[in-house]
Amino acid sequence: MIGKAGQTRDGIRIHQEVDFAGMHAAGAVTARILDEIAEHVFPGQTTGEIDRIITEKVEEAGAKSATIGYKGYQHASCISVNHVVCHGIPGDKRLKDGDILNIDVTTIVDGWFGDSSRMYVAGKMNRKAERLVQVTHDALMKGIEAVKPGNTFGDIGHAIQTYAEGHRMSIVRDFCGHGLGQVFHAPPNVLHYGRPGTGPMLEEGMFFTIEPMVNLGRPETKVLADDWTAVTRDKSLSAQFEHSIGVTADGFDIFTLSPTGKFHPTYE
């Protein structure tokens, strides 16, 4: 039984059953835009043009961008290429054959936030990049599978960490998932590493993102002089996938599922 609206545990909002519909509506808009942008990712394309198209699609959907104007940010997406871990700023950079990139979009629909990101490739991925993308995708899904009432956030992080490190890759610890709903960022911080049984307990009605960043090399990152772009310190490739999740009575509800099965870049 979901508690009253506004009830919190460890500062985490517990949402009502009706709120799931709002999150599904926002998540569907974001997921559809991420599906539709795939055809615009190719060698020679600029990240700025991809963002321009995303901006148009957000407006056409009757939604709002959560990132335009957020702490001074001026784009409808973050586009992170190769060794950029997250928060890459769209611009004049032209994609090269084999580049991998994460595109992160958050829309607001009737006050609800739909936040998701996924990986794309310009041209053909090399084997190392393909393996990184696959492991990152699967690590996210391992984390999601740990979502159910009675488990803890440490269980989510542990599932992600053990899977990625079991494939000799590293988990970025400088960034994490977060609560959301009618706000962009809220408690809890959803760590992508951890020990089983630690952290707040999951309860029905919690909404949050899971968004692991996995590096081929070491986990350390640094933020560039623009105060946004985070890169791997050793310049190794990085990948990320993100879904917005709700905790249900017996498991989880993914709000940002791809309507056409394109969440993974090698879906064809």
Side-chain angles (χ1 to χ4, degrees), residues 55-70:
T55 304
E56 284 187 352
K57 289 184 178 295
V58 173
E59 293 172 353
E60 290 168 1
K64 294 182 180 179
S65 167
T67 53
I68 294 176
Y70 179 77

Side-chain angles (χ1 to χ4, degrees), residues 74-207:
Q74 294 302 316
H75 302 277
S77 65
C78 294
I79 303 180
S80 304
V81 182
N82 292 334
H83 73 291
V84 178
V85 175
C86 61
H87 304 157
I89 301 174
D92 296 332
K93 178 181 176 62
R94 292 193 179 275
L95 299 174
K96 299 176 182 178
D97 184 50
D99 281 348
I100 60 170
L101 56 153
N102 175 273
I103 301 179
D104 191 341
V105 173
T106 307
T107 63
I108 309 171
V109 178
D110 295 328
W112 294 96
F113 286 70
D115 188 2
S116 184
S117 79
R118 63 180 81 158
M119 295 301 294
Y120 300 80
V121 58
K124 183 175 176 58
M125 275 190 287
N126 66 42
R127 184 68 188 97
K128 284 186 177 180
E130 186 176 8
R131 184 167 170 267
L132 170 66
V133 168
Q134 187 67 56
V135 168
T136 306
H137 172 273
D138 294 349
L140 167 64
M141 301 315 295
K142 294 288 186 184
I144 291 174
E145 289 167 7
V147 175
K148 64 179 180 179
N151 276 3
T152 69
F153 283 95
D155 294 328
I156 297 172
H158 179 75
I160 294 168
Q161 179 183 7
T162 54
Y163 186 81
E165 292 180 351
H167 287 80
R168 303 183 71 179
M169 299 180 192
S170 64
I171 292 288
V172 171
R173 299 187 177 215
D174 297 332
F175 302 94
C176 61
H178 53 87
L180 82 171
Q182 290 182 302
V183 293
F184 196 175
H185 296 99
N189 288 332
V190 183
L191 305 181
H192 304 118
Y193 59 93
R195 291 181 291 114
T198 62
M201 186 172 292
L202 296 165
E203 298 184 38
E204 184 181 2
M206 289 180 173
F207 296 165

Side-chain angles (χ1 to χ4, degrees), residues 25-41:
V29 169
T30 297
R32 186 176 73 247
I33 290 170
L34 289 173
D35 276 9
E36 293 173 352
I37 204 64
E39 65 181 286
H40 301 282
V41 177

Side-chain angles (χ1 to χ4, degrees), residues 10-58:
D10 298 293
I12 304 168
R13 184 175 179 85
I14 306 298
H15 296 83
Q16 294 184 307
E17 188 172 346
V18 68
D19 298 337
F20 280 73
M23 289 298 289
H24 270 291
V29 169
T30 297
R32 186 176 73 247
I33 290 170
L34 289 173
D35 276 9
E36 293 173 352
I37 204 64
E39 65 181 286
H40 301 282
V41 177
F42 49 81
Q45 176 69 287
T46 67
T47 55
E49 177 62 10
I50 294 171
D51 182 72
R52 186 194 66 76
I53 296 168
I54 291 171
T55 304
E56 284 187 352
K57 289 184 178 295
V58 173

